[in-house]
């Protein structure tokens, strides 16, 4: 079942939805071991806290609009999907994204703290796919033989 999400801080394990036009995530977003959270947001999302996900947990955030990381966010772990623009936010702090980051447009806006540090670094985390709910693991393939 899908529960209504009306806050801005990390909920317990489950699937949550909100039809709010704008949502800001704040507070502690360090998931406990073994926890799975799916958050579906109709509008725009601004993330103001680091999101940390252990290797045996799962986090998915889907925003129907824009998804923006505040310049203070240094680390985000999980799968992040924006229906419009996904932006890493400006600033000189490096951003490390672990997992999947998808948007209709993706804006990489960080400058990095110096010439030897990248503004953004993305790391693939296959454990998110392994720990995802079964409903998200369904793959559809079309196999069709074509005459020569």
């Amino acid at each position: 079942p899908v529960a209504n999400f009306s806050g801005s801080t990390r909920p317990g394990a489950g699937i949550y939805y909100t039809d709010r036009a704008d949502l800001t995530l704040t507070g502690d977003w360090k998931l406990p071991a073994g926890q799975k959270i799916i958050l579906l947001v109709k509008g725009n999302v601004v993330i103001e806290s680091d999101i940390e996900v252990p290797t045996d947990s799962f986090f998915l955030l889907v925003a129907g609009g824009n998804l923006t990381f505040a310049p203070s966010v240094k680390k985000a772990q999980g799968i992040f999907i924006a229906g419009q623009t996904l932006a890493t936010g400006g600033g000189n702090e490096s951003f490390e994204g672990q997992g999947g980051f998808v948007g209709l447009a993706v804006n990489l806006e960080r400058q990095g703290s110096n010439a030897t540090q990248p503004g953004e670094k993305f790391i693939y985390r296959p454990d998110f796919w392994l720990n995802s709910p079964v409903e998200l693991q369904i793959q559809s393939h079309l196999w069709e033989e074509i005459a020569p």
Side-chain angles (χ1 to χ4, degrees):
V2 177
N4 185 42
F5 182 75
S6 59
S8 61
T9 58
R10 179 180 50 81
I15 302 172
Y16 298 89
Y17 171 79
T18 181
D19 61 358
R20 290 167 53 181
D22 294 299
L23 179 68
T24 300
L25 302 183
T26 61
D28 176 20
W29 280 84
K30 185 173 185 176
L31 276 67
Q35 191 171 70
K36 296 181 182 186
I37 296 176
I38 297 175
L39 182 55
L40 309 169
V41 181
K42 184 175 183 181
N44 302 314
V45 177
V46 175
I47 299 172
E48 293 186 345
S49 301
D50 288 356
I51 298 176
E52 297 181 39
V53 182
T55 57
D56 64 345
S57 297
F58 177 80
F59 180 73
L60 168 65
L61 172 60
V62 179
N66 299 320
L67 196 158
T68 304
F69 294 93
S72 60
V73 175
K74 297 177 184 178
K75 181 185 286 186
Q77 300 172 339
I79 299 172
F80 301 87
I81 301 173
Q84 296 298 317
T85 301
L86 185 142
T88 59
N92 294 328
E93 290 287 341
S94 293
F95 175 83
E96 182 180 290
Q98 296 182 13
F101 296 79
V102 179
L104 190 61
V106 176
N107 293 346
L108 304 178
E109 303 168 333
R110 301 285 177 110
Q111 300 300 313
S113 56
N114 59 50
T116 62
Q117 287 289 337
E120 290 96 354
K121 179 168 75 171
F122 293 94
I123 300 169
Y124 178 62
R125 289 260 311 259
D127 59 286
F128 288 126
W129 299 116
L130 296 172
N131 296 327
S132 66
V134 173
E135 296 82 5
L136 297 179
Q137 295 178 2
I138 298 172
Q139 299 178 6
S140 64
H141 299 282
L142 175 62
W143 179 265
E144 183 177 340
E145 185 174 339
I146 300 176

mmCIF file of all heavy atoms in Angstrom, residues 70-122:
data_model
loop_
_atom_site.group_PDB
_atom_site.id
_atom_site.type_symbol
_atom_site.label_atom_id
_atom_site.label_comp_id
_atom_site.label_asym_id
_atom_site.label_seq_id
_atom_site.Cartn_x
_atom_site.Cartn_y
_atom_site.Cartn_z
ATOM 1 N N ALA A 70 20.604 20.928 -3.045
ATOM 2 C CA ALA A 70 21.101 22.205 -2.533
ATOM 3 C C ALA A 70 22.631 22.201 -2.566
ATOM 4 O O ALA A 70 23.257 21.146 -2.493
ATOM 5 C CB ALA A 70 20.609 22.419 -1.105
ATOM 6 N N PRO A 71 23.263 23.381 -2.680
ATOM 7 C CA PRO A 71 24.729 23.445 -2.712
ATOM 8 C C PRO A 71 25.407 22.834 -1.488
ATOM 9 O O PRO A 71 26.551 22.419 -1.563
ATOM 10 C CB PRO A 71 25.009 24.947 -2.791
ATOM 11 C CG PRO A 71 23.784 25.538 -3.398
ATOM 12 C CD PRO A 71 22.648 24.686 -2.897
ATOM 13 N N SER A 72 24.693 22.727 -0.374
ATOM 14 C CA SER A 72 25.268 22.152 0.846
ATOM 15 C C SER A 72 25.320 20.622 0.812
ATOM 16 O O SER A 72 26.013 20.007 1.613
ATOM 17 C CB SER A 72 24.458 22.593 2.061
ATOM 18 O OG SER A 72 23.109 22.161 1.927
ATOM 19 N N VAL A 73 24.619 19.985 -0.111
ATOM 20 C CA VAL A 73 24.589 18.517 -0.191
ATOM 21 C C VAL A 73 25.887 18.032 -0.832
ATOM 22 O O VAL A 73 26.232 18.425 -1.945
ATOM 23 C CB VAL A 73 23.375 18.023 -0.997
ATOM 24 C CG1 VAL A 73 23.426 16.509 -1.182
ATOM 25 C CG2 VAL A 73 22.084 18.434 -0.308
ATOM 26 N N LYS A 74 26.594 17.174 -0.113
ATOM 27 C CA LYS A 74 27.857 16.636 -0.613
ATOM 28 C C LYS A 74 27.718 15.215 -1.130
ATOM 29 O O LYS A 74 28.501 14.777 -1.961
ATOM 30 C CB LYS A 74 28.918 16.651 0.492
ATOM 31 C CG LYS A 74 29.268 18.028 0.980
ATOM 32 C CD LYS A 74 30.271 17.953 2.111
ATOM 33 C CE LYS A 74 30.554 19.333 2.677
ATOM 34 N NZ LYS A 74 31.472 19.275 3.799
ATOM 35 N N LYS A 75 26.705 14.478 -0.619
ATOM 36 C CA LYS A 75 26.567 13.070 -0.999
ATOM 37 C C LYS A 75 25.094 12.702 -1.115
ATOM 38 O O LYS A 75 24.297 13.048 -0.245
ATOM 39 C CB LYS A 75 27.225 12.180 0.041
ATOM 40 C CG LYS A 75 27.156 10.688 -0.277
ATOM 41 C CD LYS A 75 27.720 9.838 0.843
ATOM 42 C CE LYS A 75 29.233 9.967 0.839
ATOM 43 N NZ LYS A 75 29.892 9.065 1.806
ATOM 44 N N ALA A 76 24.762 11.995 -2.195
ATOM 45 C CA ALA A 76 23.413 11.465 -2.361
ATOM 46 C C ALA A 76 23.528 10.042 -2.887
ATOM 47 O O ALA A 76 24.193 9.802 -3.896
ATOM 48 C CB ALA A 76 22.618 12.331 -3.328
ATOM 49 N N GLN A 77 22.902 9.113 -2.175
ATOM 50 C CA GLN A 77 22.934 7.708 -2.555
ATOM 51 C C GLN A 77 21.507 7.233 -2.771
ATOM 52 O O GLN A 77 20.640 7.478 -1.939
ATOM 53 C CB GLN A 77 23.602 6.871 -1.459
ATOM 54 C CG GLN A 77 25.024 7.286 -1.173
ATOM 55 C CD GLN A 77 25.617 6.577 0.044
ATOM 56 O OE1 GLN A 77 24.911 6.080 0.897
ATOM 57 N NE2 GLN A 77 26.938 6.555 0.110
ATOM 58 N N GLY A 78 21.279 6.558 -3.895
ATOM 59 C CA GLY A 78 19.947 6.073 -4.214
ATOM 60 C C GLY A 78 19.689 6.195 -5.694
ATOM 61 O O GLY A 78 20.602 6.431 -6.497
ATOM 62 N N ILE A 79 18.426 6.059 -6.066
ATOM 63 C CA ILE A 79 18.009 6.253 -7.452
ATOM 64 C C ILE A 79 17.126 7.487 -7.466
ATOM 65 O O ILE A 79 16.127 7.564 -6.734
ATOM 66 C CB ILE A 79 17.263 5.022 -7.984
ATOM 67 C CG1 ILE A 79 18.184 3.807 -7.933
ATOM 68 C CG2 ILE A 79 16.773 5.267 -9.410
ATOM 69 C CD1 ILE A 79 17.508 2.495 -8.262
ATOM 70 N N PHE A 80 17.502 8.467 -8.281
ATOM 71 C CA PHE A 80 16.816 9.755 -8.337
ATOM 72 C C PHE A 80 16.336 9.985 -9.764
ATOM 73 O O PHE A 80 17.144 9.992 -10.701
ATOM 74 C CB PHE A 80 17.764 10.875 -7.907
ATOM 75 C CG PHE A 80 18.294 10.693 -6.506
ATOM 76 C CD1 PHE A 80 19.434 9.946 -6.271
ATOM 77 C CD2 PHE A 80 17.638 11.260 -5.429
ATOM 78 C CE1 PHE A 80 19.923 9.758 -4.988
ATOM 79 C CE2 PHE A 80 18.113 11.075 -4.136
ATOM 80 C CZ PHE A 80 19.254 10.327 -3.913
ATOM 81 N N ILE A 81 15.031 10.201 -9.926
ATOM 82 C CA ILE A 81 14.446 10.381 -11.255
ATOM 83 C C ILE A 81 13.631 11.668 -11.252
ATOM 84 O O ILE A 81 12.758 11.860 -10.397
ATOM 85 C CB ILE A 81 13.554 9.185 -11.638
ATOM 86 C CG1 ILE A 81 14.374 7.896 -11.610
ATOM 87 C CG2 ILE A 81 12.914 9.399 -13.001
ATOM 88 C CD1 ILE A 81 13.565 6.636 -11.801
ATOM 89 N N ALA A 82 13.915 12.546 -12.213
ATOM 90 C CA ALA A 82 13.187 13.808 -12.351
ATOM 91 C C ALA A 82 12.425 13.804 -13.676
ATOM 92 O O ALA A 82 12.995 13.484 -14.714
ATOM 93 C CB ALA A 82 14.149 14.992 -12.301
ATOM 94 N N GLY A 83 11.159 14.178 -13.618
ATOM 95 C CA GLY A 83 10.358 14.283 -14.835
ATOM 96 C C GLY A 83 10.776 15.460 -15.684
ATOM 97 O O GLY A 83 10.515 15.499 -16.885
ATOM 98 N N GLN A 84 11.444 16.421 -15.090
ATOM 99 C CA GLN A 84 11.960 17.585 -15.815
ATOM 100 C C GLN A 84 13.485 17.620 -15.640
ATOM 101 O O GLN A 84 14.157 16.762 -16.135
ATOM 102 C CB GLN A 84 11.295 18.869 -15.310
ATOM 103 C CG GLN A 84 9.794 18.914 -15.563
ATOM 104 C CD GLN A 84 9.459 18.882 -17.030
ATOM 105 O OE1 GLN A 84 10.078 19.554 -17.839
ATOM 106 N NE2 GLN A 84 8.470 18.080 -17.385
ATOM 107 N N THR A 85 14.010 18.601 -14.904
ATOM 108 C CA THR A 85 15.455 18.778 -14.781
ATOM 109 C C THR A 85 15.976 18.245 -13.446
ATOM 110 O O THR A 85 15.402 18.512 -12.404
ATOM 111 C CB THR A 85 15.818 20.274 -14.891
ATOM 112 O OG1 THR A 85 15.358 20.761 -16.157
ATOM 113 C CG2 THR A 85 17.312 20.495 -14.788
ATOM 114 N N LEU A 86 17.068 17.502 -13.511
ATOM 115 C CA LEU A 86 17.803 17.092 -12.322
ATOM 116 C C LEU A 86 19.045 17.976 -12.265
ATOM 117 O O LEU A 86 19.807 18.024 -13.223
ATOM 118 C CB LEU A 86 18.190 15.615 -12.392
ATOM 119 C CG LEU A 86 18.867 15.071 -11.132
ATOM 120 C CD1 LEU A 86 18.390 13.644 -10.881
ATOM 121 C CD2 LEU A 86 20.368 15.088 -11.242
ATOM 122 N N ALA A 87 19.228 18.701 -11.155
ATOM 123 C CA ALA A 87 20.342 19.641 -11.031
ATOM 124 C C ALA A 87 21.130 19.376 -9.763
ATOM 125 O O ALA A 87 20.550 19.136 -8.700
ATOM 126 C CB ALA A 87 19.821 21.077 -11.024
ATOM 127 N N THR A 88 22.451 19.407 -9.866
ATOM 128 C CA THR A 88 23.313 19.169 -8.706
ATOM 129 C C THR A 88 23.480 20.412 -7.842
ATOM 130 O O THR A 88 24.101 20.332 -6.789
ATOM 131 C CB THR A 88 24.699 18.662 -9.145
ATOM 132 O OG1 THR A 88 25.302 19.642 -9.997
ATOM 133 C CG2 THR A 88 24.603 17.331 -9.859
ATOM 134 N N GLY A 89 22.961 21.545 -8.251
ATOM 135 C CA GLY A 89 23.053 22.769 -7.454
ATOM 136 C C GLY A 89 24.420 23.407 -7.600
ATOM 137 O O GLY A 89 25.420 22.727 -7.798
ATOM 138 N N GLY A 90 24.483 24.706 -7.518
ATOM 139 C CA GLY A 90 25.745 25.418 -7.687
ATOM 140 C C GLY A 90 26.639 25.294 -6.476
ATOM 141 O O GLY A 90 26.354 24.563 -5.537
ATOM 142 N N GLY A 91 27.726 26.016 -6.511
ATOM 143 C CA GLY A 91 28.620 26.048 -5.365
ATOM 144 C C GLY A 91 29.965 25.404 -5.634
ATOM 145 O O GLY A 91 30.201 24.837 -6.696
ATOM 146 N N ASN A 92 30.851 25.513 -4.649
ATOM 147 C CA ASN A 92 32.213 24.997 -4.773
ATOM 148 C C ASN A 92 32.427 23.661 -4.079
ATOM 149 O O ASN A 92 33.505 23.087 -4.185
ATOM 150 C CB ASN A 92 33.214 26.019 -4.231
ATOM 151 C CG ASN A 92 33.246 27.274 -5.079
ATOM 152 O OD1 ASN A 92 33.030 27.214 -6.284
ATOM 153 N ND2 ASN A 92 33.490 28.412 -4.456
ATOM 154 N N GLU A 93 31.443 23.168 -3.330
ATOM 155 C CA GLU A 93 31.554 21.862 -2.680
ATOM 156 C C GLU A 93 31.394 20.765 -3.739
ATOM 157 O O GLU A 93 30.499 20.831 -4.575
ATOM 158 C CB GLU A 93 30.475 21.689 -1.614
ATOM 159 C CG GLU A 93 30.663 22.549 -0.403
ATOM 160 C CD GLU A 93 31.796 22.074 0.488
ATOM 161 O OE1 GLU A 93 32.206 20.898 0.387
ATOM 162 O OE2 GLU A 93 32.275 22.887 1.279
ATOM 163 N N SER A 94 32.246 19.755 -3.684
ATOM 164 C CA SER A 94 32.110 18.629 -4.598
ATOM 165 C C SER A 94 30.872 17.823 -4.236
ATOM 166 O O SER A 94 30.492 17.720 -3.081
ATOM 167 C CB SER A 94 33.344 17.728 -4.542
ATOM 168 O OG SER A 94 34.467 18.410 -5.046
ATOM 169 N N PHE A 95 30.248 17.236 -5.253
ATOM 170 C CA PHE A 95 29.053 16.416 -5.084
ATOM 171 C C PHE A 95 29.379 14.992 -5.515
ATOM 172 O O PHE A 95 29.931 14.784 -6.600
ATOM 173 C CB PHE A 95 27.912 16.969 -5.949
ATOM 174 C CG PHE A 95 26.676 16.128 -5.937
ATOM 175 C CD1 PHE A 95 25.749 16.245 -4.914
ATOM 176 C CD2 PHE A 95 26.432 15.214 -6.951
ATOM 177 C CE1 PHE A 95 24.603 15.466 -4.914
ATOM 178 C CE2 PHE A 95 25.288 14.430 -6.948
ATOM 179 C CZ PHE A 95 24.374 14.560 -5.927
ATOM 180 N N GLU A 96 29.061 14.019 -4.647
ATOM 181 C CA GLU A 96 29.244 12.618 -5.008
ATOM 182 C C GLU A 96 27.895 11.929 -5.034
ATOM 183 O O GLU A 96 27.214 11.829 -4.015
ATOM 184 C CB GLU A 96 30.161 11.904 -4.018
ATOM 185 C CG GLU A 96 30.398 10.445 -4.404
ATOM 186 C CD GLU A 96 31.304 9.728 -3.449
ATOM 187 O OE1 GLU A 96 32.513 10.056 -3.442
ATOM 188 O OE2 GLU A 96 30.817 8.857 -2.701
ATOM 189 N N GLY A 97 27.513 11.464 -6.218
ATOM 190 C CA GLY A 97 26.266 10.738 -6.386
ATOM 191 C C GLY A 97 26.547 9.261 -6.560
ATOM 192 O O GLY A 97 27.379 8.887 -7.383
ATOM 193 N N GLN A 98 25.875 8.431 -5.777
ATOM 194 C CA GLN A 98 26.031 6.983 -5.892
ATOM 195 C C GLN A 98 24.670 6.374 -6.189
ATOM 196 O O GLN A 98 23.725 6.591 -5.436
ATOM 197 C CB GLN A 98 26.589 6.396 -4.595
ATOM 198 C CG GLN A 98 27.975 6.873 -4.252
ATOM 199 C CD GLN A 98 28.502 6.230 -2.976
ATOM 200 O OE1 GLN A 98 27.945 5.269 -2.467
ATOM 201 N NE2 GLN A 98 29.591 6.774 -2.465
ATOM 202 N N GLY A 99 24.588 5.645 -7.307
ATOM 203 C CA GLY A 99 23.326 5.026 -7.699
ATOM 204 C C GLY A 99 22.951 5.427 -9.105
ATOM 205 O O GLY A 99 23.764 5.377 -10.017
ATOM 206 N N GLY A 100 21.706 5.863 -9.279
ATOM 207 C CA GLY A 100 21.205 6.273 -10.591
ATOM 208 C C GLY A 100 20.629 7.672 -10.527
ATOM 209 O O GLY A 100 19.909 8.020 -9.587
ATOM 210 N N PHE A 101 20.945 8.478 -11.542
ATOM 211 C CA PHE A 101 20.494 9.867 -11.595
ATOM 212 C C PHE A 101 19.962 10.134 -12.996
ATOM 213 O O PHE A 101 20.723 10.112 -13.967
ATOM 214 C CB PHE A 101 21.651 10.818 -11.255
ATOM 215 C CG PHE A 101 22.135 10.648 -9.841
ATOM 216 C CD1 PHE A 101 22.980 9.605 -9.501
ATOM 217 C CD2 PHE A 101 21.720 11.515 -8.848
ATOM 218 C CE1 PHE A 101 23.398 9.416 -8.199
ATOM 219 C CE2 PHE A 101 22.142 11.341 -7.539
ATOM 220 C CZ PHE A 101 22.982 10.293 -7.212
ATOM 221 N N VAL A 102 18.647 10.368 -13.107
ATOM 222 C CA VAL A 102 17.999 10.471 -14.411
ATOM 223 C C VAL A 102 17.118 11.710 -14.427
ATOM 224 O O VAL A 102 16.411 11.992 -13.464
ATOM 225 C CB VAL A 102 17.126 9.225 -14.688
ATOM 226 C CG1 VAL A 102 16.429 9.333 -16.026
ATOM 227 C CG2 VAL A 102 17.950 7.952 -14.607
ATOM 228 N N GLY A 103 17.143 12.430 -15.539
ATOM 229 C CA GLY A 103 16.256 13.563 -15.723
ATOM 230 C C GLY A 103 16.055 13.817 -17.201
ATOM 231 O O GLY A 103 16.875 13.397 -18.020
ATOM 232 N N LEU A 104 14.957 14.493 -17.533
ATOM 233 C CA LEU A 104 14.751 14.892 -18.919
ATOM 234 C C LEU A 104 15.927 15.751 -19.362
ATOM 235 O O LEU A 104 16.397 15.663 -20.482
ATOM 236 C CB LEU A 104 13.429 15.654 -19.038
ATOM 237 C CG LEU A 104 12.935 15.948 -20.435
ATOM 238 C CD1 LEU A 104 12.691 14.649 -21.196
ATOM 239 C CD2 LEU A 104 11.651 16.766 -20.384
ATOM 240 N N ALA A 105 16.425 16.555 -18.427
ATOM 241 C CA ALA A 105 17.672 17.306 -18.607
ATOM 242 C C ALA A 105 18.459 17.136 -17.308
ATOM 243 O O ALA A 105 17.876 17.011 -16.238
ATOM 244 C CB ALA A 105 17.394 18.784 -18.860
ATOM 245 N N VAL A 106 19.773 17.107 -17.403
ATOM 246 C CA VAL A 106 20.627 17.000 -16.218
ATOM 247 C C VAL A 106 21.601 18.170 -16.238
ATOM 248 O O VAL A 106 22.361 18.333 -17.188
ATOM 249 C CB VAL A 106 21.391 15.652 -16.186
ATOM 250 C CG1 VAL A 106 22.347 15.609 -14.996
ATOM 251 C CG2 VAL A 106 20.424 14.486 -16.138
ATOM 252 N N ASN A 107 21.545 18.995 -15.190
ATOM 253 C CA ASN A 107 22.437 20.148 -15.079
ATOM 254 C C ASN A 107 23.509 19.865 -14.027
ATOM 255 O O ASN A 107 23.191 19.706 -12.850
ATOM 256 C CB ASN A 107 21.666 21.405 -14.677
ATOM 257 C CG ASN A 107 20.715 21.866 -15.755
ATOM 258 O OD1 ASN A 107 20.787 21.436 -16.899
ATOM 259 N ND2 ASN A 107 19.795 22.734 -15.390
ATOM 260 N N LEU A 108 24.753 19.804 -14.475
ATOM 261 C CA LEU A 108 25.886 19.624 -13.565
ATOM 262 C C LEU A 108 26.434 21.013 -13.265
ATOM 263 O O LEU A 108 27.077 21.625 -14.105
ATOM 264 C CB LEU A 108 26.937 18.721 -14.208
ATOM 265 C CG LEU A 108 26.445 17.345 -14.649
ATOM 266 C CD1 LEU A 108 27.557 16.560 -15.325
ATOM 267 C CD2 LEU A 108 25.862 16.574 -13.488
ATOM 268 N N GLU A 109 26.177 21.511 -12.051
ATOM 269 C CA GLU A 109 26.420 22.918 -11.742
ATOM 270 C C GLU A 109 27.535 23.170 -10.729
ATOM 271 O O GLU A 109 27.832 24.314 -10.425
ATOM 272 C CB GLU A 109 25.124 23.543 -11.216
ATOM 273 C CG GLU A 109 23.976 23.404 -12.202
ATOM 274 C CD GLU A 109 22.622 23.754 -11.617
ATOM 275 O OE1 GLU A 109 22.441 23.625 -10.383
ATOM 276 O OE2 GLU A 109 21.752 24.154 -12.384
ATOM 277 N N ARG A 110 28.162 22.127 -10.212
ATOM 278 C CA ARG A 110 29.200 22.306 -9.195
ATOM 279 C C ARG A 110 30.523 22.687 -9.837
ATOM 280 O O ARG A 110 30.855 22.231 -10.929
ATOM 281 C CB ARG A 110 29.389 21.026 -8.376
ATOM 282 C CG ARG A 110 28.153 20.541 -7.659
ATOM 283 C CD ARG A 110 27.836 21.394 -6.441
ATOM 284 N NE ARG A 110 26.607 20.952 -5.817
ATOM 285 C CZ ARG A 110 26.542 20.348 -4.644
ATOM 286 N NH1 ARG A 110 27.642 20.106 -3.963
ATOM 287 N NH2 ARG A 110 25.387 19.991 -4.130
ATOM 288 N N GLN A 111 31.317 23.469 -9.119
ATOM 289 C CA GLN A 111 32.620 23.903 -9.607
ATOM 290 C C GLN A 111 33.760 23.081 -9.032
ATOM 291 O O GLN A 111 34.839 23.041 -9.585
ATOM 292 C CB GLN A 111 32.843 25.386 -9.271
ATOM 293 C CG GLN A 111 31.821 26.312 -9.889
ATOM 294 C CD GLN A 111 31.813 26.223 -11.397
ATOM 295 O OE1 GLN A 111 32.855 26.247 -12.025
ATOM 296 N NE2 GLN A 111 30.627 26.103 -11.983
ATOM 297 N N GLY A 112 33.542 22.429 -7.902
ATOM 298 C CA GLY A 112 34.633 21.727 -7.227
ATOM 299 C C GLY A 112 35.410 22.700 -6.369
ATOM 300 O O GLY A 112 35.404 23.909 -6.591
ATOM 301 N N SER A 113 36.124 22.166 -5.379
ATOM 302 C CA SER A 113 36.839 23.036 -4.445
ATOM 303 C C SER A 113 38.184 23.506 -4.978
ATOM 304 O O SER A 113 38.719 24.495 -4.540
ATOM 305 C CB SER A 113 37.020 22.323 -3.104
ATOM 306 O OG SER A 113 37.684 21.088 -3.302
ATOM 307 N N ASN A 114 38.765 22.769 -5.941
ATOM 308 C CA ASN A 114 40.025 23.201 -6.555
ATOM 309 C C ASN A 114 40.181 22.504 -7.901
ATOM 310 O O ASN A 114 39.328 21.718 -8.314
ATOM 311 C CB ASN A 114 41.219 22.911 -5.628
ATOM 312 C CG ASN A 114 41.345 21.447 -5.285
ATOM 313 O OD1 ASN A 114 41.326 20.592 -6.164
ATOM 314 N ND2 ASN A 114 41.478 21.143 -4.011
ATOM 315 N N ALA A 115 41.273 22.764 -8.565
ATOM 316 C CA ALA A 115 41.471 22.248 -9.927
ATOM 317 C C ALA A 115 41.662 20.730 -9.964
ATOM 318 O O ALA A 115 41.524 20.121 -11.023
ATOM 319 C CB ALA A 115 42.666 22.933 -10.569
ATOM 320 N N THR A 116 41.980 20.101 -8.841
ATOM 321 C CA THR A 116 42.201 18.650 -8.841
ATOM 322 C C THR A 116 40.964 17.867 -8.405
ATOM 323 O O THR A 116 40.957 16.646 -8.488
ATOM 324 C CB THR A 116 43.378 18.274 -7.911
ATOM 325 O OG1 THR A 116 43.053 18.664 -6.582
ATOM 326 C CG2 THR A 116 44.657 18.960 -8.368
ATOM 327 N N GLN A 117 39.940 18.544 -7.909
ATOM 328 C CA GLN A 117 38.705 17.888 -7.483
ATOM 329 C C GLN A 117 37.607 18.140 -8.508
ATOM 330 O O GLN A 117 37.351 19.287 -8.869
ATOM 331 C CB GLN A 117 38.241 18.439 -6.129
ATOM 332 C CG GLN A 117 39.058 17.998 -4.955
ATOM 333 C CD GLN A 117 38.835 16.521 -4.648
ATOM 334 O OE1 GLN A 117 37.820 15.947 -4.994
ATOM 335 N NE2 GLN A 117 39.809 15.913 -3.999
ATOM 336 N N PRO A 118 36.929 17.085 -8.964
ATOM 337 C CA PRO A 118 35.811 17.311 -9.880
ATOM 338 C C PRO A 118 34.634 17.948 -9.143
ATOM 339 O O PRO A 118 34.476 17.763 -7.926
ATOM 340 C CB PRO A 118 35.459 15.895 -10.354
ATOM 341 C CG PRO A 118 35.875 15.008 -9.232
ATOM 342 C CD PRO A 118 37.104 15.661 -8.653
ATOM 343 N N GLY A 119 33.841 18.690 -9.859
ATOM 344 C CA GLY A 119 32.652 19.278 -9.255
ATOM 345 C C GLY A 119 31.631 18.211 -8.900
ATOM 346 O O GLY A 119 30.961 18.290 -7.876
ATOM 347 N N GLU A 120 31.493 17.199 -9.768
ATOM 348 C CA GLU A 120 30.583 16.092 -9.540
ATOM 349 C C GLU A 120 31.287 14.777 -9.840
ATOM 350 O O GLU A 120 32.084 14.695 -10.762
ATOM 351 C CB GLU A 120 29.356 16.172 -10.457
ATOM 352 C CG GLU A 120 28.403 17.290 -10.135
ATOM 353 C CD GLU A 120 28.645 18.509 -10.980
ATOM 354 O OE1 GLU A 120 29.622 18.532 -11.752
ATOM 355 O OE2 GLU A 120 27.863 19.465 -10.866
ATOM 356 N N LYS A 121 30.964 13.758 -9.047
ATOM 357 C CA LYS A 121 31.466 12.415 -9.295
ATOM 358 C C LYS A 121 30.292 11.468 -9.099
ATOM 359 O O LYS A 121 29.600 11.525 -8.081
ATOM 360 C CB LYS A 121 32.595 12.072 -8.328
ATOM 361 C CG LYS A 121 33.149 10.658 -8.511
ATOM 362 C CD LYS A 121 34.443 10.418 -7.748
ATOM 363 C CE LYS A 121 34.213 10.250 -6.282
ATOM 364 N NZ LYS A 121 35.413 9.808 -5.541
ATOM 365 N N PHE A 122 30.071 10.576 -10.091
ATOM 366 C CA PHE A 122 28.968 9.630 -10.017
ATOM 367 C C PHE A 122 29.514 8.217 -10.002
ATOM 368 O O PHE A 122 30.386 7.872 -10.787
ATOM 369 C CB PHE A 122 28.013 9.833 -11.202
ATOM 370 C CG PHE A 122 27.300 11.155 -11.149
ATOM 371 C CD1 PHE A 122 27.813 12.251 -11.823
ATOM 372 C CD2 PHE A 122 26.137 11.305 -10.413
ATOM 373 C CE1 PHE A 122 27.173 13.475 -11.772
ATOM 374 C CE2 PHE A 122 25.497 12.522 -10.348
ATOM 375 C CZ PHE A 122 26.009 13.616 -11.026
#
